[in-house]
C-alpha cells in the first residue's frame, strides 16, 4: 500500500478526475459515477457532503463501506468555518492541512471517529472552538482525541512546551493509541510541506521527527508512514546524499528489470504448478532503504579490495502474499527446493512476531547467475498489519473495524500492538518531572530499532530494548529487585551485570542483602527506568566520606592505641633473606595454608608465591629464575583474604549451578568468579574462585560441594603431586561427610602406603581396590 503524496488540496471544489484514478464500473465513466453516487446519497435522505471531501470519501469507502458520511460532513463544515481566514506558511487556506491529514488516515484505513477527530485536531489549538463544544457536537471520544494532539502553549511552558506536549500525547496514547496515529499523520503532512519553513526550522523539525516520531511509527507498525517520513527527513538533513541515492534509483527505474520481474514470473509459475494460490510482486525499496544497502555494500570490499557496486537485486525484494498461514511455509518449501537458500538469511516472524506485530517469513535465495534475491512471504492479513500496524486492528472499543475487537477486552483502550513498551515508557516518564531529563530519556529509549524478549528461569517474559544488560533485566523485575541485585545467570552461566542480553536468553537475577546499586551500574543501564531508579537511589544515599580526626576533641578521651596489624595484617608469607619484600600469591594455583609453596623473584623486587608443583612456577624455574625459600607466616594474611580456585566434576542436571553456589555460600564463603563449561557426554565442569574468611574453611567448602547431588569429584586446579588438601575427601560408606577430613602430609592413603588417594568418587574406588586413580582432570569412564 502506498500513501498518495500529491500536492495539498486547495479547498476549492475537487472533481473526480483530480482525485486520482478509479476503477470503471460497467460502461459508466468517472463523471457519471460521481453523479450517480451523489444521486444515491440524496435518495437515502442523508445530507450531501461537500465536494472537497470527495477524495476523503473515496478513500474511506474502500475500507468502511457503511461509514457515516454525514458525521464527516458536519466535522468538515465546523473545521472550515473555524479556520476560515487562516493561512498556512505556503499561502494556502489552513483547512487544507486538516483535510490532507484526514485523507492520509483514510488511506491507512482509520475509522470514522478517528477521521472526525483529525478534521478537528487543530481547532481547539488555533481557533476559538473549545473542547466542551467539540464534546457537545461529536461526543467525548472525539474530544479526547482532539485534546490529546493539542499542543501546549509556549506562553505557559516556554522552552519546555515541546517536551511537555509530547509527554501529554504519550499519556493520552496510553489510553487511546489513535492519539499518536493522528499526530503521525499530522507530522507527515507537515513534512511534505516543510520546504515552506525557514532552513533552521526545517532542520529542527526533521531532527525531532527522526528521533521521536519515526521510532514511534515503527513501534506502532505503520510502515508506509514511517518510510515516507524517513525519506523526507533524509532529504532535509542530508540533501546531497539523498540526491545521489534518488538519481541512482531513478536510473534503475528507467531501465528494464532483467532480474526481479523474471524471477517473480518464474516463482509464480512454480507456485501455480504446486497448487499454491499466491500473488507474487516486486517490492521496490524506498530511498532510505536503498541508502542503507549502499552503505553495507561500501563497507564490505569485494574480491579486488574495492567497495562493491550496487547489484540489481539491491533495488527491491519479492513479496509473496498467500491466503493461509500454512501456505507461507508451503511457499518457503518451494523456494528452498527450487533455488539455493542462503544459510543464516531465514527469519521466521510468523511464529515469533516482532514487537510491533509484524509477521512475515524472510529468506534469501541464490539464482542461477549467482544473484541473491530477498523474498518476503506473508498472508493478506499479515500484509495489512505490516503496512498499517495498529490502524489495521481497528478503532478500540468499536466492533467490526478491521478486527480490532477480536480477542481483546472492549474496555482495554491501550495500544493493541504491544501495551508493554508503552506502559513502561509511561512508568518512567512519571518519575522525570524535569522536561529536559524527560526529553533526553525519551529519545534514548526510542533510539533502539527493536526490542528483545528474554525469559526468566521462573518463566516470566521480559520485553527489553535491544542492547539491554542484566542491570536492565533486574530493574525490569522491580525496583527493589534491582537494588538488591548481586549477580546474574544467563543461559545457566554466571555472568557480570554488564553482560548484554540477546533475544531468547534465559536470565536469573541473583539477589542478596546488598546495600544498593553501585554508581558504576549507570554505565551498564540502557533503559531509562533502570537509570532513573539508580540515580534516585544514589541521590537518596550519598556515599559516606571517612572522618579524619587529628586529635581528641574537647571533653572526649583519646582513643586507645591500636596495633598496626589490626588494620593492616602482616604479609602471609616470609621470604628467607629478603625481609620486607612485597609478596603476591599466584592466582593460577591460589596457594592457601598449609600448602607446600615456592617463591620466585619478579619485577621490582617482589616475590610471587606458587604452590609446589604448579606448572607456572616450574616454567619460571626453567626460565632461570631461582626458587626462593618461603614459608607461611603464623598470623599473617593477605589484605583481601585468601582466594582459592575449586573445580567440581558432576553429572549434568537441572539446578546444579544453584545447588553448588548455595552449598558454597552456606559455608560463609564468598564467590568471586565462576565458570560453567558446556556439558560433554552428560558431564559438566564448574570452576569457582572463592574468598575464604579463614584458611581452615577450605576443607569444609570442599566437603560441602562434594555432598551436592551429582557431583563426583572436587579438586583444586594445578594440584601438586603431594601436600595440602588438593581434593575433597569422599565420605566413606557408613560415615558422615562431616566426620571425614582430608589427610595431612603428602596425601598418601594411610591404609595402603605408597598408593595415592584421589579424593572423589572415582578416586575412592581406586583406593579401595588398591589401584592408582585416574587423572584428576578426567571424569568417570563410560
Amino acid at each position: 500500500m502506498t500513501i498518495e503524496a500529491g500536492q495539498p488540496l486547495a479547498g476549492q471544489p475537487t472533481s473526480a478526475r483530480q482525485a486520482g484514478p478509479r476503477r470503471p464500473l460497467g460502461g459508466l465513466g468517472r463523471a457519471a459515477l460521481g453523479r450517480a453516487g451523489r444521486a444515491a446519497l440524496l435518495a437515502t435522505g442523508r445530507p450531501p457532503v461537500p465536494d472537497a471531501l470527495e477524495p476523503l470519501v473515496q478513500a474511506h469507502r474502500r475500507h468502511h463501506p457503511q461509514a457515516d458520511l454525514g458525521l464527516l460532513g458536519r466535522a468538515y463544515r465546523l473545521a472550515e468555518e473555524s479556520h476560515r481566514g487562516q493561512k498556512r506558511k505556503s499561502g494556502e487556506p489552513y483547512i487544507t492541512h486538516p483535510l490532507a491529514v484526514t485523507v492520509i488516515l483514510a488511506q491507512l484505513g482509520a475509522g470514522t471517529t478517528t477521521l472526525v477527530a483529525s478534521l478537528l485536531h487543530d481547532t481547539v489549538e488555533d481557533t476559538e472552538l473549545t473542547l466542551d463544544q467539540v464534546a457537545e457536537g461529536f461526543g467525548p471520544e472525539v474530544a479526547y482525541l482532539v485534546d490529546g494532539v493539542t499542543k501546549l502553549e509556549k506562553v505557559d511552558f516556554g522552552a519546555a512546551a515541546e517536551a511537555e506536549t509530547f509527554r501529554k500525547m504519550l499519556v493520552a496514547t496510553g489510553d487511546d493509541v489513535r492519539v499518536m496515529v493522528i499526530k503521525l499523520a499530522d507530522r507527515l503532512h507537515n513534512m511534505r510541506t516543510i520546504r515552506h519553513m525557514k532552513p533552521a526550522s526545517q532542520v529542527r523539525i526533521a531532527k525531532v521527527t527522526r528521533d521521536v516520531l519515526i521510532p514511534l511509527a515503527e513501534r506502532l507498525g505503520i510502515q508506509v508512514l514511517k518510510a515516507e517520513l524517513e525519506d523526507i527527513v533524509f532529504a532535509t538533513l542530508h540533501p546531497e546524499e539523498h540526491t545521489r541515492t534518488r538519481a541512482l534509483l531513478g536510473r534503475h527505474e528507467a531501465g528494464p528489470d532483467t532480474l526481479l520481474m523474471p524471477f517473480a514470473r518464474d516463482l509464480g509459475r512454480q507456485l501455480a504448478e504446486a497448487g499454491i494460490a499466491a500473488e507474487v510482486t516486486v517490492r521496490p525499496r524506498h530511498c532510505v532503504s536503498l541508502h542503507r544497502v549502499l552503505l553495507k555494500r561500501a563497507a564490505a570490499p569485494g574480491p579486488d579490495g574495492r567497495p562493491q557496486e550496487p547489484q540489481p537485486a539491491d533495488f527491491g525484494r519479492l513479496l509473496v502474499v498467500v491466503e493461509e498461514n500454512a501456505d507461507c511455509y508451503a511457499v518457503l518449501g518451494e523456494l528452498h527446493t527450487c533455488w539455493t537458500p542462503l544459510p543464516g538469511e531465514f527469519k521466521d516472524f510468523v511464529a515469533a512476531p516482532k514487537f510491533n506485530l509484524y509477521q512475515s517469513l524472510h529468506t534469501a535465495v541464490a539464482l542461477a547467475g549467482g544473484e541473491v534475491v530477498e523474498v518476503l512471504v506473508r498472508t493478506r492479513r499479515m500484509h495489512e498489519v505490516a503496512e498499517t500496524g495498529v490502524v489495521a486492528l481497528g478503532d478500540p472499543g468499536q466492533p467490526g473495524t478491521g478486527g480490532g475487537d477480536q480477542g481483546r477486552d472492549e474496555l482495554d483502550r491501550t495500544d493493541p500492538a504491544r501495551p508493554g513498551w508503552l506502559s513502561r515508557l509511561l512508568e518512567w516518564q512519571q518519575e522525570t518531572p524535569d522536561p529536559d531529563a524527560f526529553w533526553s530519556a525519551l529519545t534514548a529509549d526510542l533510539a533502539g530499532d527493536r526490542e528483545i524478549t528474554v525469559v526468566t528461569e521462573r518463566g516470566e517474559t521480559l520485553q527489553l530494548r535491544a542492547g539491554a544488560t542484566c542491570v536492565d533485566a533486574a530493574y525490569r523485575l522491580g525496583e527493589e529487585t534491582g537494588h538488591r541485585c548481586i549477580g546474574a545467570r544467563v543461559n545457566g552461566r554466571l555472568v557480570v551485570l554488564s553482560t548484554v542480553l540477546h533475544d531468547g536468553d534465559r536470565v536469573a537475577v541473583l539477589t542478596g542483602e546488598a546495600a544498593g546499586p553501585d554508581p558504576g551500574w549507570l554505565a551498564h543501564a540502557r533503559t531509562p527506568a533502570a537509570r532513573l531508579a539508580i540515580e534516585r537511589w544514589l541521590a537518596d544515599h550519598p556515599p559516606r566520606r571517612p572522618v579524619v580526626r587529628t586529635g581528641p576533641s574537647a571533653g572526649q578521651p583519646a582513643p586507645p592505641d591500636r596495633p598496626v596489624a589490626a588494620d593492616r595484617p602482616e604479609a602471609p608469607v616470609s621470604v628467607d633473606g629478603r625481609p620486607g619484600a612485597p609478596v603476591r600469591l599466584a592466582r593460577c594455583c591460589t596457594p592457601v595454608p598449609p600448602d607446600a609453596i615456592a617463591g620466585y623473584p619478579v619485577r621490582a623486587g617482589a616475590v610471587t608465591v606458587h604452590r609446589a608443583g604448579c606448572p607456572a612456577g616450574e616454567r619460571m624455574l626453567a626460565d632461570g629464575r631461582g626458587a626462593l625459600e618461603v614459608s607461611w607466616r603464623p598470623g599473617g594474611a593477605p589484605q583481601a583474604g585468601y582466594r582459592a580456585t575449586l573445580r567440581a566434576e558432576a553429572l549434568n542436571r537441572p539446578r546444579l549451578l544453584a545447588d553448588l553456589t548455595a552449598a558454597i555460600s552456606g559455608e560463609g564463603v564468598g564467590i568471586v568468579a565462576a565458570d560453567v563449561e558446556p556439558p560433554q557426554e552428560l558431564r559438566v565442569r564448574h570452576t569457582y574462585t572463592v574468598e575464604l574468611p579463614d584458611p581452615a574453611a577450605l576443607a569444609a567448602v570442599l566437603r560441602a560441594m562434594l555432598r551436592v547431588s551429582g557431583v563426583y569429584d572436587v579438586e583444586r586446579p594445578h594440584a601438586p603431586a603431594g601436600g595440602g588438601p588438593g581434593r575433597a575427601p569422599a565420605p566413606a560408606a557408613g560415615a558422615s561427610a562431616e566426620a571425614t577430613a582430608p589427610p595431612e602430609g603428602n596425601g598418601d592413603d594411610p591404609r595402603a602406603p605408597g598408593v595415592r588417594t584421589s579424593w572423589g568418587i572415582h578416586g575412592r574406588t581406586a583406593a579401595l581396590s588398591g589401584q592408582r586413580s585416574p587423572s584428576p582432570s578426567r571424569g568417570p569412564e563410560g
Side-chain angles (χ1 to χ4, degrees):
M1 175 178 178
T2 357
I3 296 179
E4 298 172 8
Q7 295 294 328
L9 300 176
Q12 65 270 24
T14 307
S15 66
R17 182 175 302 161
Q18 292 172 313
R22 300 177 63 187
R23 293 182 180 179
L25 181 62
L28 296 178
R30 293 189 178 93
L33 281 174
R35 290 192 297 272
R38 283 191 290 271
L41 184 61
L42 290 172
T44 61
R46 297 177 180 173
V49 297
D51 290 340
L53 287 185
E54 190 168 351
L56 172 60
V57 170
Q58 293 171 5
H60 194 37
R61 283 295 196 194
R62 283 196 292 267
H63 298 277
H64 305 276
Q66 304 300 322
D68 184 1
L69 299 181
L71 195 62
L72 287 176
R74 285 201 300 116
Y76 172 77
R77 292 186 184 94
L78 179 59
E80 194 278 332
E81 180 182 350
S82 301
H83 289 296
R84 190 172 297 165
Q86 296 179 349
K87 299 284 186 181
R88 304 196 78 218
K89 291 187 180 295
S90 61
E92 298 168 320
Y94 195 90
I95 188 60
T96 59
H97 170 66
L99 187 55
V101 171
T102 310
V103 170
I104 292 172
L105 292 171
Q107 292 170 346
L108 291 174
T112 305
T113 303
T114 307
L115 301 188
V116 170
S118 174
L119 285 170
L120 301 171
H121 79 272
D122 275 339
T123 53
V124 175
E125 178 183 335
D126 295 332
T127 72
E128 299 297 326
L129 197 67
T130 65
L131 274 177
D132 292 338
Q133 291 173 318
V134 173
E136 183 179 352
F138 299 93
E141 191 174 9
V142 172
Y144 182 85
L145 298 177
V146 172
D147 182 43
V149 295
T150 299
K151 296 178 184 178
L152 299 175
E153 294 291 341
K154 288 188 176 181
V155 176
D156 299 328
F157 290 88
E162 185 172 39
E164 293 298 336
T165 295
F166 272 100
R167 188 201 298 266
K168 173 189 172 187
M169 289 181 189
L170 288 171
V171 173
T173 303
D175 291 330
D176 198 324
V177 73
R178 292 175 293 179
V179 171
M180 191 55 65
V181 173
I182 295 173
K183 176 59 182 177
L184 290 170
D186 172 70
R187 179 54 59 95
L188 175 58
H189 183 252
N190 284 332
M191 293 299 290
R192 286 177 177 176
T193 58
I194 196 173
R195 62 186 180 277
H196 299 293
M197 305 287 291
K198 296 178 181 179
S201 298
Q202 292 184 30
V203 172
R204 179 184 60 81
I205 295 173
K207 287 183 177 180
V208 173
T209 304
R210 177 197 63 191
D211 296 339
V212 179
L213 274 304
I214 289 177
L216 285 172
E218 166 74 14
R219 291 173 183 243
L220 296 179
I222 314 176
Q223 294 297 324
V224 289
L225 194 150
K226 174 194 171 225
E228 187 173 351
L229 282 175
E230 284 183 330
D231 285 350
I232 300 175
V233 168
F234 184 38
T236 304
L237 299 180
H238 307 282
E240 295 181 359
E241 295 181 26
H242 176 268
T243 301
R244 286 196 297 268
T245 307
R246 184 67 242 179
L248 184 63
L249 195 58
R251 288 195 298 270
H252 174 77
E253 293 172 348
D257 187 350
T258 59
L259 178 68
L260 295 179
M261 281 304 299
F263 177 50
R265 288 192 289 268
D266 292 345
L267 178 57
R269 284 193 295 268
Q270 181 64 35
L271 296 179
E273 292 175 4
I276 303 173
E279 187 179 302
V280 184
T281 57
V282 175
R283 190 172 177 83
R285 292 186 183 273
H286 63 98
C287 198
V288 168
S289 178
L290 176 61
H291 181 68
R292 291 176 181 144
V293 173
L294 297 179
L295 290 178
K296 291 181 180 179
R297 288 283 186 190
D304 56 355
R306 297 180 179 179
Q308 301 182 45
E309 294 294 328
Q311 304 298 317
D314 294 338
F315 291 88
R317 298 179 288 185
L318 256 62
L319 174 64
V320 183
V321 179
V322 295
E323 296 297 332
E324 303 293 338
N325 286 20
D327 294 338
C328 295
Y329 297 95
V331 171
L332 186 70
E334 293 296 324
L335 271 168
H336 288 186
T337 301
C338 302
W339 291 274
T340 304
L342 264 66
E345 293 296 327
F346 171 65
K347 297 181 180 65
D348 188 348
F349 296 119
V350 173
K354 288 187 178 182
F355 65 92
N356 57 5
L357 286 190
Y358 175 86
Q359 288 183 284
S360 282
L361 296 180
H362 289 209
T363 189
V365 295
L367 306 187
E371 301 91 347
V372 175
V373 178
E374 296 181 47
V375 184
L376 313 179
V377 186
R378 59 180 71 142
T379 66
R380 295 188 185 279
R381 178 59 180 166
M382 292 176 191
H383 180 61
E384 185 180 2
V385 175
E387 295 289 277
T388 61
V390 296
V391 181
L393 303 180
D395 285 352
Q398 294 186 7
T401 56
D405 58 327
Q406 296 178 6
R408 297 182 62 239
D409 185 355
E410 292 185 359
L411 299 179
D412 180 13
R413 300 175 59 85
T414 57
D415 173 11
R418 181 56 61 91
W421 70 265
L422 187 56
S423 61
R424 290 196 303 274
L425 191 149
L426 294 175
E427 286 174 5
W428 63 253
Q429 69 85 23
Q430 296 174 357
E431 306 295 333
T432 53
D434 180 61
D436 292 336
F438 164 75
W439 189 253
S440 300
L442 176 64
T443 53
D445 188 58
L446 295 176
D449 291 333
R450 62 184 184 91
E451 288 190 349
I452 62 171
T453 301
V454 299
V455 182
T456 69
E457 292 185 353
R458 295 182 178 180
E460 299 174 81
T461 300
L462 305 181
Q463 299 290 338
L464 300 167
R465 57 169 292 184
T469 65
C470 296
V471 173
D472 300 300
Y475 280 94
R476 183 70 188 93
L477 291 170
E479 192 168 311
E480 188 63 28
T481 301
H483 289 342
R484 296 192 300 111
C485 176
I486 58 174
R489 278 195 308 267
V490 176
N491 301 325
R493 297 175 65 93
L494 286 173
V495 297
V496 295
L497 291 177
S498 60
T499 300
V500 176
L501 301 173
H502 299 89
D503 211 15
D505 281 347
R506 287 181 59 85
V507 182
V509 176
L510 309 178
T511 59
E513 299 302 325
D518 186 270
W521 292 8
L522 288 172
H524 312 315
R526 299 291 181 269
T527 56
R531 285 196 301 271
L532 292 169
I534 296 171
E535 290 172 352
R536 188 163 52 249
W537 193 94
L538 294 175
D540 294 339
H541 302 79
R544 294 182 179 179
R545 300 191 178 187
V547 178
V548 179
R549 297 189 179 184
T550 58
S553 58
Q556 292 184 351
D561 294 334
R562 290 191 231 170
V564 176
D567 293 329
R568 184 174 299 177
E570 293 185 79
V573 174
S574 61
V575 183
D576 290 349
R578 295 193 181 188
V583 174
R584 293 201 299 262
L585 300 181
R587 293 297 177 89
C588 58
C589 55
T590 57
V592 177
D595 292 336
I597 54 177
Y600 302 92
V602 292
R603 294 179 181 178
V607 176
T608 179
V609 178
H610 292 258
R611 295 166 65 188
C614 174
E618 292 179 349
R619 284 195 300 269
M620 296 176 70
L621 188 62
D623 291 340
R625 300 192 183 189
L628 302 175
E629 290 292 332
V630 293
S631 59
W632 294 109
R633 176 174 290 165
Q639 293 185 7
Y642 287 102
R643 290 192 177 187
T645 301
L646 312 176
R647 179 184 294 159
E649 306 275 355
L651 300 175
N652 193 28
R653 65 171 178 83
R655 293 193 56 80
L656 175 63
L657 179 65
D659 292 345
L660 272 171
T661 54
I664 296 172
S665 301
E667 298 297 326
V669 174
I671 300 175
V672 177
D675 180 68
V676 180
E677 299 180 15
Q680 294 183 357
E681 299 180 359
L682 301 180
R683 294 175 294 181
V684 67
R685 174 181 291 173
H686 291 220
T687 304
Y688 301 90
T689 300
V690 299
E691 192 170 88
L692 303 171
D694 184 84
L698 178 59
V701 174
L702 291 169
R703 287 195 297 268
M705 294 175 67
L706 192 59
R707 286 196 296 266
V708 173
S709 175
V711 177
Y712 58 81
D713 194 13
V714 181
E715 65 171 336
R716 295 172 63 194
H718 303 307
R727 286 174 176 246
S736 65
E738 288 77 10
T740 309
E744 297 180 358
N746 63 1
D748 292 339
D749 190 346
R751 297 168 297 178
V755 179
R756 175 82 174 94
T757 303
S758 180
W759 298 104
I761 291 178
H762 64 270
R764 179 178 57 192
T765 306
L768 294 177
S769 63
Q771 299 176 354
R772 191 168 298 276
S773 65
S775 169
S777 62
R778 300 180 57 192
E781 301 296 334

